[in-house]
Amino acid sequence: MEIFDLTIHELHEKLKAKEVSSVEATRAMLERIEAVDGQVNAYITVTPEQALVEAEAADKRIAAGDIAPLTGIPVGLKDIFITKGIRTTCGSRILENFVPPYDGTAVAKLKEQGAVIVGKLNQDEFAMGSSNESSYFGPVKNPWNLECTPGGSSGGSAAAIAARTATATLGTDTGGSIRQPASHCSCVGLKPTYGRVSRYGVIAYASSLDQVGPLTRDVTDAALLLGAVAGYDPKDSTSVNTPVPDYVAGLATGVKGLKIGLPKQYFIEGLDPDVKRAMDEAIALYKSLGAELREVSLPHTEYAVATYYLIATAEASSNLARYDGVRFGHRAEDVRGLKEMFAKTRAEGFGSEVKRRIMLGTYALSSGYYDAYYVKAQKVRTLIMQDFLNAFNEVDVLLTPIAPTPPFKIGEKLADPLQMYLSDIFTIPVNLAGTCGISIPAGFSAGGLPIGLQLIGKPFGEATVLSTAYAFERETQWHLKKAPL
Amino acid sequence: MKITRSEVEHVARLARLELSDSELDTFTGQMDGILAYVEKLNALDTEGIVPTSHAVPMENAFRPDQPADSIGVEAALANAPLRAESFFRVPKVIE
């Protein structure tokens, strides 16, 4: 097995036993990026010099007997994370040359553990998209089939795991942007409860929905990486001050007696037959492991996509007002006056998906429409949250598909944004409710494309979600399959 | 409800976005489709429902009122497209 194939916990053991150094692991990863990223386009920026300096520092630390789970591990970061001295683009032309003066909290926590940052990963522009086709730096290709999308918006983060060009990555999830690409690339993607991980130093898209989370090769790594970045941060006023459990220690609790709910609105007609088959097999496996499965109802599910696209676009139109060409980012030239500079800068700097969402959000917040659209959506959000609270009175975890279909072809849904938006129907409600969910590999379509399984937990129920996922992973081999690159 | 091209132009002005003629046409059609879809929310009676702006019930988040280091003038200006001394420079504001 090559060094770049190893999980965090496997590489950690080898680093600890001095069988391999962080410099060797980092070189192996950089060579792998050089060899295959031309086909995948998962990276926007690779940082070889800086990575090797960090790897040397990690080796010194290990030699001194000071090793944390992430020490010396090569990681990639979605290009939405602010990184001191490393260009941070958010997949947009408007930030093409932006070099941040500080690190975000999640990045700082990884650095404290001695993780090695090998580069910044491609994404949909400002995290707006379900297919990674809206990046200014070109689409990411799915390592399982280069004609297909890897999903979005953390498509680069998921594709790098599948292409084995990072041991682990961080992404963000606003409407499914960690879980859906994890599903499409056959890796593990965890969206924590809102407030579990600090958003300080994460470029904002829709502030009440965005959350940071890990994309990894297996469930143990997801537990390790979440443990490394979770926790209260006084720099993020929405971060929640509640203790971080030892997620790895709780993994092997098993599912005997666990109540797993199957929301009937998620097992609808029209679900792809391969996805349906994978879900049926997962349900049968959990039954055989002693879990108790029962049907539950989330009656407002069909309103989630409409609710999301009003709330997310409204928040985006507000958050993206800061890109005006004054303090940072692209600035249009040859303009007459300040107002023209704003309008031209934004016209040149943003791609069409971002413009469309700013327009929708501005419309939903504008005079005369605020109550009819924005406030209405916030009220429906309350109903969707109540659905989840009611379901969690009956069961411990919910099991659902991640996406109605396996990965689709690049370009297939570009002309019809509404169809693209509807592909997130099974992930969006979790963000509206603010709770946590994981995507784990659960099979492949007849055409060899990955299918993911979603487990949704109670607020701050990450430990239960992880142990439920771990029970499945232990009995299956899906996470061990490698993309043909 | 049908959204008109002139409404889209108005929204673009509010959003400080200069749109080309073809963008205006495309967005008018697409926004019309998306807004027709979100009309489905009107099928729900939300009378008396409290709107949710935030998933986690929280009180005000306060921090101690103590001075601390910030990033400093040079770092703050390092990404400025145009600067003059310790200021961000912009085109003239008064026409």
Side-chain angles (χ1 to χ4, degrees), chain A residues 120-178:
Chain A
K120 304 296 292 291
L121 294 154
N122 207 344
Q123 59 165 92
D124 276 304
E125 185 177 6
F126 284 101
M128 297 177 188
S130 311
S131 64
N132 224 297
E133 291 167 285
S134 75
S135 169
Y136 176 64
F137 300 89
V140 176
K141 316 279 174 61
N142 190 319
W144 293 90
N145 179 335
L146 296 171
E147 288 180 10
C148 290
T149 84
S153 65
S154 310
S157 300
I161 298 298
R164 286 162 150 71
T165 51
T167 306
T169 62
L170 281 184
T172 57
D173 191 313
T174 305
S177 282
I178 288 174

Side-chain angles (χ1 to χ4, degrees), chain A residues 34-54:
Chain A
E34 182 77 30
V36 302
D37 199 55
Q39 297 172 69
V40 181
N41 198 28
Y43 280 87
I44 291 174
T45 306
V46 186
T47 51
E49 294 87 7
Q50 205 160 333
L52 287 167
V53 169
E54 287 170 7

